[in-house]
Amino acid sequence: MTDPARRVPRVDAADKVTGRTRYSADHCPPGTLHAMLVPASVGRGRVVRVETEAARAVPGVRLVLTRLDPEQVRSPGFPQSGSGYGFQSLQPLLDDRVAYRGQPIALVVADTLTAAVEAAGRVDARYEAEPVAVTLDAEGAHTVVQAEEFPGIRRFADIEVGDADTAFAASPVQVDMTFDFGPQHHAPMELLATVVEWRDGTLVVHESTQNTGAVRHGLARVLGIDPARIEVICPQAGGSFGQKTWLQPHVAPLAVAAARLGRPVKFVMPRKQTFLATSFRPASRHRMRLGADPSGRLLAAIHETRSQTSRHDLFASDYPSITARLYGIGDFRGTQHLTRTDVPTPGFMRAPFEHVSAFALETAVDEIAYATGRDPVALRLDNDTATDPVTGNPFSSRHLAECLRRGAAMFGWAARTAEPGSMRDEDGALVGWGVAAGAYRASAAPGVARLRADAEGRVAVDVTGHEMGQGLHTAVARTVALDLGVAADEVRVGLGDTRSAPQHLTAGSWGTATALAAVHAALRRLRTRLGVPDDGPVDVAAAVLATGRPEVAVEAVTRAPGQSPQAVDRLHAGLSAPAGPEYRGFSAFSFVAHFAEVRVAVETGRVRVSRVVSVVDCGRVASPVTALSQIRGGVVWGIGATLREGSEPDPRYGGFVNADLADYVVPVGSDIGRIEVAFIDEPDPLLNAPGVKGAGEIAFVGVAPAIANALHHATGRRHRALPIRLEDIL
Amino acid sequence: MSTGIKHGALFATTVEVACTVNGRPVLLLLDPRESLLDVVRERLELTGTKKGCDQGQCGACTVHLDGRRVLACLTPAVHARDADVLTIEGLADPDGTPHPVQQAFIDQDALQCGYCTPGQIMSAVACIAEGHAGDDDQIREYLSGNLCRCGAYPGILAAVRQAARATAEG
Amino acid sequence: MRPFGYAAPASLAEAVEALAAGGPGTRVLAGGTTLYDLMKLGVERPTAVVDIHHLAELSGFDTTGRDELVLGAGARLADLAEDPVLRRDCPALAESLAKAASQQLRNSATAGGSLLQRTRCGYFRGGPPYPCNKRRPGSGCAARDGTDRGHAVLGTSESCVAAYPGDWAVALLAFDARLDLLGPGGPRTIPLSALHREPGDTPQHEHTLADGELIVRIRVPVTATGRGSAFHKIRDRESFAFALASAAVAVRLGRRGTVQDCRIALGGLATRPWRAHEAERTLLGEELTERSALLAGETALAGARPGTHNGFKVALGIRTVADALRTAGRRAAS
């Protein structure tokens, strides 16, 4: 990866810096009308009456929809129930129930955006309000045992290895900590945006999403039409981080409105509604018990969790998956509970479970280090494991120890004095150094790559996958370019388009592994068709000419190791089909070690993260330029999640109080100090031919505990809740 | 246009505004409540300028109004009267050569999803012109009005540093 | 469509006429960063606006006078922040501007409009279903038993605990700024300290301007104390955020290092820009030490009445004042 000749700049950067890149809201077909939603202002209850007269009287208003016909519009279903497409099963506008504040109760369409906004503000509703429960401890919140709700589904089940309770009780050194993590919102810069248009009976949807396949098939189910009549297009999403994972509930109503009006309809969700009417990272509480011997060898861990879900869906969690595997802990128990509250269904947000699980575990490990007088890096190295404690199988690749060693050297860890409060900078601020590790499952999904080469030497590839900024265009272009010996910016890459390849959810850090496996297979097939050797540069134009055809097109369909053909059927149905982390005979994870330096002004509670060093084992680095940005971005997320970001539920009115970008505080440039990144860059030998694992999520896992451990080192205070704000430091 | 309100001739409900956008003269008939952002995007179809919050909290809609960076979402379009508006589409040389700040963003990979990027670049061009790119802390501070949720801040810092140096060297 | 009128008068005099003609629902539009924002949220629903942002007679400023700084109400915050005289002779004023909002907003926001910036209380801005006595008089206050972490601890009432969010007015208050106004009744001048009201039972009345009255200019008496001044702002991130606590302070030191003159004003902590005269008096004639600075801070916050989640603001306010005094003292001594 350090070979500068192989440095491929981001292939879509030139379009992005000139404003040429078209995001969903940038489409404006002739005759486009503008839509606005009217959100419910009660947290739970029933809509008694909706007055729309004043709204209809606004000049330019074409339609005010308050109810959809249940014969025409259905629930999209919820993915974790097996075969759904919606971020929640609840489809608004079908009845009078209000399940959460912000749920749409009307849709207004007008000639201009000004008129739509004005009219939406004039829709007046009367409600019968009911008491709300929006926090884990609220009266009326209802808790269930996850494993009992999902019988027989391994990924939602408890994890039990050995006898953790007995082993913990017998451990000479014990840590027992409870952590509280508040809800958080993705807040991508791009607002949710939809442009729907019926063209000769075909529904064309420009939708900001990381899952055009689910939008397509979800709309087919909701509207009861043939998916062949639906095209969903999203070559570029302006960030997503899990927010745009599934079909949004307003898209089908927009399609209904567009059909009725015979005109394209555009909707851009106001920022406030993105905090009230979309998914989010649920609140969760973790009790972490960790037992060790006096040398710091970890003997037992018990990880019990309770996290928030909605009334209408069970958003199953997966918290213990990494706590059971980050170290070689012989006896482990992980038990998960879900608490139903009056919110839109929570969902995946970057490292949905691993971020907080790592915080709980890695804080407890730091405590063990202090309790046993061990250096936190050395202790982690001593507890490394080559086999997955849960399955007993080997990891396909695991370079965590190397991440820790290399990171410690880059950071200058050896100069650390262990005593909390023992380091200060020249200005008198307390300095803290902390370390934490992270793991994230290496998954892959079935993928399709369609590769074309023509007699003029042009190469184009359409593939399963979406671009949300992670650099998938670049990774695909670079893979093709290096394989064939052509220039990366001459490879046309098509992503996020249901017209050109079947589309699967791009999430969970499986996007690159999925797309590149398919592209790699397609390249082999192309070489065969062209009659050229299996590797080495190819004169594409000459090779195509030699076939006597103007163009050679190949298709490759790949599956993750051990996946059955049914996984491909699911891909074609817009359902998700990721495999991992457990594969036949091995387990696969990405790993990371983060080292953080904080400077704390105790008088005013000001905390600066002056330096972070991150060393990442994500398999082979498929695109060094964009991967570096991914990791830095994950560290920035970690700084935000640790010190800044918290959505504040409103226990009286439902919803969240801080529903904008001034009050939901994400980091700005001044919050970010030096970030140094290194990659192990060793190909994973088992997962896929290119040897890639995932980078986007692992970058973020473990940043928060590294910072919190650094804070503890600076001040002696342990933090058991996120975010850590200045009142927690004062 | 009829007013239909009783404020008398002083008040108009529709306002005619002449301005230039990226050097091109434009005549607009505006509802005075329309934002400059919605007008450039929806009416002039210059969609490079992005709506990230519509409340002055993210910087994605940064444009130049008479050479100064402002937030198009909090600028009533009527404030463009007789002004020169510059958006991301007008930044490169007419021959297509990218502006040095645009080139620096490419060189330093100062972006990921790209949604905040036009605003970042418009802000960075102004930041350098204002003389606020003197050192790293100053660059960070004077670009803090532009959020980047992907967290491209280290790359953005490097890009502005590169472009400021290039500008200084003339 | 809701009728909405727009006037762009050619002069200040015409603006005053237009405001009078427009009647009660008419508002002044300057930079737009508060009014236009709140219009989008539906919190402000004017029937007409009188646009003054283009009036050249409002936008000038002169910081070269021996006796006072004269700042047009239409001057842009960004231009004032760069003024070399302000930066040298009264750094607290320049810093309050530089730490306000972002450069883009400072390029739009005006010196006069900024004084009338409205609270960032989420219940005020959030609209329905929240009760808010400021937005809908008599409806109640959602913040009192709600999420009040960012809210005021000084100058609160049963009706309202919303914090005044600005920085610039806080710094001006420390330097006894005066405001020239123009309205239907003619011109008048008031001290800035008389502009903002405490909420009391009528939090919807935030200032003392008469109907149709405009701020024309701000006049700040020049004082040698200005050189020893600082504006300190504590917020939830390093930049582009409203103050959780801020302090504009200034000291002039005598030959023996004792404090001869002292100014302390607080932001982010009170329902209006808050001058702490009592705290100033504790320092007069004293040496500026760690201890005396903290005592001044404690005095400034002595009357604090925290709510549910903002108790930390008392300690934070005390330390912010002390910290700012430390910086100011250093500047005064150099």
Side-chain angles (χ1 to χ4, degrees):
Chain A
M1 66 154 283
T2 48
D3 177 0
R6 301 182 134 210
R7 186 187 189 277
V8 172
R10 188 179 294 269
V11 293
D12 40 7
D15 282 345
K16 288 182 173 179
V17 301
T18 51
R20 282 198 299 266
T21 300
R22 306 260 280 174
Y23 301 85
S24 296
D26 299 338
H27 292 273
C28 208
T32 296
L33 302 171
H34 297 266
M36 194 49 61
L37 293 170
V38 181
S41 63
V42 296
R44 181 184 177 185
R46 208 169 65 81
V47 183
V48 177
R49 198 170 38 133
V50 186
E51 292 287 355
T52 61
E53 220 164 284
R56 287 176 207 277
V58 173
V61 167
R62 301 278 175 142
L63 180 69
V64 182
L65 255 178
T66 59
R67 197 59 66 81
L68 296 168
D69 181 354
E71 295 292 303
Q72 287 179 353
V73 174
R74 291 153 213 86
S75 162
F78 184 60
Q80 290 188 334
S81 66
S83 67
Y85 298 102
F87 94 75
Q88 60 181 7
S89 60
L90 187 149
Q91 174 61 53
L93 303 175
L94 286 180
D95 58 30
D96 61 355
R97 290 295 308 167
V98 174
Y100 53 90
R101 183 155 73 88
Q103 178 184 321
I105 57 158
L107 170 70
V108 176
V109 184
D111 290 345
T112 65
L113 183 56
T114 309
V117 170
E118 173 75 17
R122 290 174 158 250
V123 172
D124 193 23
R126 295 277 171 273
Y127 304 91
E128 260 174 32
E130 296 165 15
V132 296
V134 289
T135 59
L136 288 175
D137 298 320
E139 195 178 325
H142 178 62
T143 298
V144 298
V145 179
Q146 176 168 305
E148 291 172 5
E149 301 293 323
F150 295 92
I153 301 183
R154 183 168 164 77
R155 69 198 158 105
F156 299 149
D158 292 348
I159 295 180
E160 287 198 51
V161 182
D163 181 354
D165 293 87
T166 303
F168 176 76
S171 296
V173 181
Q174 297 180 355
V175 167
D176 183 348
M177 304 175 86
T178 299
F179 298 89
D180 264 296
F181 303 111
Q184 295 180 325
H185 279 79
H186 315 80
M189 296 311 301
E190 182 193 26
L191 295 162
L192 285 175
T194 311
V195 180
V196 292
E197 184 183 7
W198 291 90
R199 273 189 219 150
D200 305 322
T202 294
L203 178 60
V204 181
V205 182
H206 289 274
E207 166 75 352
S208 178
T209 181
Q210 52 195 102
N211 196 348
T212 50
V215 174
R216 178 192 189 199
H217 291 273
L219 280 173
R221 177 184 293 180
V222 172
L223 298 171
I225 58 177
D226 183 352
R229 287 175 50 208
I230 303 175
E231 298 170 351
V232 183
I233 305 155
C234 184
Q236 293 278 354
S240 186
F241 315 109
Q243 185 194 52
K244 304 163 180 173
T245 300
W246 307 107
L247 176 64
Q248 303 290 335
H250 52 263
V251 181
L254 290 168
V256 170
R260 279 203 209 165
L261 296 165
R263 297 265 292 269
V265 175
K266 179 193 285 199
F267 173 65
V268 179
M269 183 177 276
R271 181 56 76 178
K272 180 179 171 182
Q273 289 179 23
T274 69
F275 283 95
L276 297 176
T278 71
S279 81
F280 60 96
R281 185 194 303 282
S284 64
R285 182 171 300 152
H286 299 235
R287 184 176 180 198
M288 178 66 70
R289 279 172 283 176
L290 196 54
D293 72 12
S295 74
R297 194 165 61 84
L298 301 175
L299 303 174
I302 305 169
H303 186 187
E304 293 165 313
T305 66
R306 184 154 75 86
S307 68
Q308 179 181 25
T309 186
S310 66
R311 296 275 182 204
H312 39 281
D313 297 306
L314 285 172
F315 175 61
S317 59
D318 187 17
Y319 294 108
S321 173
I322 68 154
T323 35
R325 289 159 160 126
L326 197 52
Y327 301 107
I329 303 175
D331 294 273
F332 183 92
R333 176 167 66 79
T335 311
Q336 305 179 76
H337 293 79
L338 300 173
T339 298
R340 290 190 187 270
T341 56
D342 300 304
V343 294
T345 303
F348 303 110
M349 175 168 156
R350 199 173 197 170
F353 313 110
E354 298 77 6
H355 157 57
V356 288
S357 286
F359 191 91
L361 176 64
E362 288 295 87
T363 302
V365 167
D366 208 54
E367 282 284 283
I368 295 277
Y370 275 91
T372 56
R374 297 295 314 280
D375 174 79
V377 174
L379 181 138
R380 285 173 169 82
L381 288 169
D382 286 353
N383 283 287
D384 195 18
T385 173
T387 54
D388 177 351
V390 177
T391 61
N393 286 325
F395 289 106
S396 55
S397 59
R398 175 172 167 128
H399 302 284
L400 177 57
E402 181 58 16
C403 292
L404 284 161
R405 277 192 285 264
R406 200 183 293 185
M410 287 169 65
F411 190 80
W413 182 260
R416 178 180 184 267
T417 52
E419 185 68 23
S422 62
M423 292 168 66
R424 282 186 186 262
D425 73 5
E426 57 282 4
D427 300 330
L430 288 165
V431 173
W433 286 3
V435 62
Y440 191 90
R441 72 194 133 91
S443 293
V448 173
R450 291 173 179 154
L451 187 58
R452 298 190 308 281
D454 71 16
E456 295 186 37
R458 289 182 295 225
V459 181
V461 58
D462 291 300
V463 61
T464 303
H466 299 80
E467 175 75 77
M468 299 90 76
Q470 79 277 38
L472 189 52
H473 276 102
T474 309
V476 171
R478 183 175 183 271
T479 299
V480 174
L482 292 184
D483 189 285
L484 298 176
V486 299
D489 53 6
E490 284 165 21
V491 179
R492 196 199 63 77
V493 178
L495 297 175
D497 191 332
T498 60
R499 296 170 301 183
S500 39
Q503 291 298 338
H504 183 278
L505 169 62
T506 304
S509 269
W510 64 63
T512 304
T514 301
L516 292 198
V519 169
H520 186 268
L523 283 163
R524 307 277 76 70
R525 205 158 279 190
L526 179 73
R527 284 174 176 273
T528 306
R529 287 281 303 280
L530 293 176
V532 298
D534 210 38
D535 52 26
V538 178
D539 183 338
V540 174
V544 173
L545 269 177
T547 65
R549 297 163 188 268
E551 180 183 279
V552 174
V554 297
E555 177 182 288
V557 182
T558 46
R559 288 177 257 144
Q563 272 195 318
S564 71
Q566 281 81 44
V568 179
D569 296 342
R570 286 182 65 86
L571 164 66
H572 283 282
L575 297 165
S576 62
E582 295 173 10
Y583 298 90
R584 197 169 305 150
F586 66 93
S587 296
F589 284 81
S590 289
F591 296 93
V592 73
H594 297 288
F595 295 76
E597 174 182 277
V598 297
R599 282 150 198 263
V600 184
V602 192
E603 310 83 57
T604 53
R606 182 185 181 204
V607 173
R608 284 170 299 149
V609 182
S610 43
R611 197 156 64 93
V612 176
V613 168
S614 304
V615 183
V616 188
D617 165 20
C618 58
R620 193 177 69 82
V621 177
S623 167
V625 169
T626 58
L628 173 61
S629 291
Q630 267 289 74
I631 304 302
R632 286 168 169 174
V635 172
V636 171
W637 263 63
I639 293 169
T642 313
L643 301 174
R644 305 276 181 263
E645 297 172 35
S647 308
E648 289 162 24
D650 190 323
R652 296 166 300 171
Y653 302 96
F656 297 95
V657 184
N658 55 336
D660 66 31
L661 289 176
D663 290 343
Y664 185 84
V665 184
V666 303
V668 294
S670 292
D671 290 319
I672 306 306
R674 255 167 64 204
I675 299 172
E676 294 167 60
V677 175
F679 293 98
I680 300 296
D681 202 16
E682 285 290 332
D684 185 286
L686 298 177
L687 203 55
N688 51 56
V692 303
K693 299 196 278 191
E697 318 257 1
I698 191 64
F700 171 53
V701 181
V703 181
I707 293 170
N709 289 342
L711 279 170
H712 171 263
H713 182 230
T715 66
R717 190 180 300 183
R718 259 310 155 204
H719 296 279
R720 293 177 169 81
L722 291 178
I724 303 162
R725 295 194 288 200
L726 60 83
E727 57 265 43
D728 305 311
I729 304 290
L730 278 174
Chain B
M1 281 245 168
S2 76
T3 67
I5 53 169
K6 50 187 181 297
H7 304 304
L10 269 175
F11 290 89
T13 53
T14 305
V15 183
E16 192 177 280
V17 164
C19 59
T20 74
V21 178
N22 300 332
R24 195 167 52 93
V26 171
L27 189 65
L28 296 161
L29 269 185
L30 297 171
D31 180 315
R33 286 170 290 194
E34 281 181 273
S35 69
L36 183 57
L37 174 59
D38 287 337
V39 168
V40 299
R41 283 185 53 80
E42 305 296 339
R43 297 237 227 148
L44 305 178
E45 295 184 32
L46 293 168
T47 54
T49 306
K50 300 303 180 201
K51 182 181 284 190
C53 71
D54 213 21
Q55 291 176 298
Q57 300 170 350
C58 80
C61 65
T62 302
V63 299
H64 295 185
L65 193 63
D66 282 337
R68 300 164 69 114
R69 48 174 157 158
V70 298
L71 300 178
C73 75
L74 283 193
T75 302
V78 290
H79 281 185
R81 183 203 301 265
D82 301 329
D84 296 319
V85 179
L86 183 69
T87 72
I88 189 72
E89 289 90 345
L91 197 61
D93 264 12
D95 71 1
T97 308
H99 186 281
V101 173
Q102 290 173 314
Q103 187 58 50
F105 267 61
I106 297 172
D107 295 345
Q108 303 293 339
D109 200 43
L111 58 119
Q112 289 195 53
C113 80
Y115 196 79
C116 73
T117 307
Q120 298 279 359
I121 288 174
M122 296 309 286
S123 202
V125 169
C127 175
I128 295 168
E130 291 157 7
H132 289 144
D135 59 42
D136 286 0
D137 280 345
Q138 195 183 32
I139 293 170
R140 289 186 179 111
E141 169 61 32
Y142 278 86
L143 286 179
S144 277
N146 292 81
L147 305 186
C148 171
R149 187 55 163 158
C150 297
Y153 297 123
I156 292 168
L157 173 65
V160 178
R161 211 191 280 139
Q162 171 187 323
R165 199 178 305 132
T167 308
E169 287 162 5
Chain C
M1 183 95 62
R2 192 157 47 90
F4 185 79
Y6 173 84
S11 69
L12 191 55
E14 273 186 39
V16 172
E17 270 174 47
L19 277 169
T26 308
R27 299 291 309 272
V28 176
L29 175 66
T33 53
T34 289
L35 178 66
Y36 191 50
D37 179 33
L38 290 173
M39 283 168 62
K40 287 187 170 192
L41 292 173
V43 171
E44 294 263 19
R45 299 177 78 87
T47 54
V49 292
V50 174
D51 192 352
I52 59 165
H53 99 286
H54 56 284
L55 292 181
E57 59 193 302
L58 287 177
S59 62
F61 61 95
D62 181 2
T63 55
T64 60
R66 288 185 48 168
D67 299 329
E68 61 180 11
L69 315 169
V70 181
L71 315 174
R76 298 299 194 258
L77 300 188
D79 293 333
L80 290 169
E82 293 294 308
D83 185 74
V85 181
L86 276 192
R87 290 166 64 135
R88 187 193 63 209
D89 291 347
C90 205
L93 286 179
E95 285 167 358
S96 78
L97 292 160
K99 289 178 179 175
S102 68
Q103 184 72 358
Q104 289 97 311
L105 288 161
R106 294 190 291 265
N107 272 331
S108 294
T110 62
S114 168
L115 304 180
L116 299 175
Q117 190 177 2
R118 304 196 69 186
T119 184
R120 304 296 299 190
C121 171
Y123 302 105
F124 168 72
R125 291 172 59 83
Y130 301 128
C132 171
N133 289 319
K134 198 184 269 298
R135 181 163 36 76
R136 272 190 59 207
S139 62
C141 172
R144 284 198 65 89
D145 302 308
T147 302
D148 60 357
R149 176 176 179 268
H151 287 68
V153 295
L154 292 165
T156 58
S157 72
E158 287 299 307
S159 300
C160 184
V161 293
Y164 173 81
D167 302 315
W168 170 233
V170 173
L172 284 172
L173 188 65
F175 290 97
D176 300 322
R178 300 170 69 76
L179 306 176
D180 290 346
L181 311 177
L182 183 65
R188 64 178 179 128
T189 298
I190 61 167
L192 172 63
S193 59
L195 178 69
H196 298 94
R197 298 170 186 263
E198 283 183 32
D201 296 334
T202 54
Q204 71 274 25
H205 298 307
E206 294 173 357
H207 58 74
T208 58
L209 297 181
D211 285 345
E213 200 168 41
L214 285 165
I215 301 172
V216 176
R217 69 185 71 78
I218 301 165
R219 292 194 279 123
V220 189
V222 170
T223 163
T225 308
R227 289 216 173 201
S229 72
F231 184 80
H232 207 39
K233 181 175 179 181
I234 308 296
R235 37 193 164 170
D236 271 328
R237 61 186 172 201
E238 291 286 309
S239 184
F240 196 28
F242 291 93
L244 286 168
S246 72
V249 306
V251 289
R252 197 174 71 239
L253 301 178
R255 286 222 182 88
R256 294 196 191 124
T258 54
V259 175
Q260 305 293 300
D261 183 21
C262 175
R263 318 291 180 89
I264 300 174
L266 306 177
L269 296 162
T271 52
R272 48 162 292 173
W274 193 264
R275 182 78 179 261
H277 289 293
E278 192 80 14
E280 294 170 0
R281 280 194 285 275
T282 66
L283 280 171
L284 289 179
E286 300 291 321
E287 265 184 71
L288 186 57
T289 62
E290 217 47 33
R291 198 191 164 94
S292 67
L294 272 173
L295 179 68
E298 283 163 10
T299 309
L301 272 295
R305 288 193 358 203
T308 317
H309 304 287
N310 62 356
F312 73 97
K313 279 193 164 191
V314 179
L316 182 66
I318 292 168
R319 291 164 190 193
T320 304
V321 169
D323 241 24
L325 282 167
R326 221 183 340 261
T327 306
R330 238 188 348 260
R331 288 174 180 168
S334 65

